Amino acid sequence: NTFVGKILAVTVADIERVAKATIDPEKIVIVLVGDRAQIEKAVAGLNLGPITNLTIEDVLGKAPVVEGN
């Protein structure tokens, strides 16, 4: 089995090269889940960009209504 050897052979330069070729910084999204009151100030202090707060309904839509139950 050569899997572990191949993983250990990966260098920082390899990772950086692939990341630069595949990740578009203009399209990156960071998703945080937690108590907004507890984390929002610290996250804003990181100056990563605009913060958009979404609810579960914003992401998945309204929960379906099951009639007849």
Side-chain angles (χ1 to χ4, degrees), residues 14-25:
D14 293 330
I15 295 169
E16 289 175 345
R17 177 180 41 77
V18 172
K20 287 178 184 176
T22 59
I23 298 173
D24 182 349

Side-chain angles (χ1 to χ4, degrees), residues 54-64:
L54 301 173
T55 66
I56 192 73
E57 287 185 351
D58 293 332
V59 175
L60 298 178
K62 297 241 182 223

Side-chain angles (χ1 to χ4, degrees), residues 36-50:
R36 185 170 151 191
Q38 295 284 325
I39 66 172
E40 188 168 33
K41 185 176 179 181
V43 171
L46 296 173
N47 296 315
L48 297 173

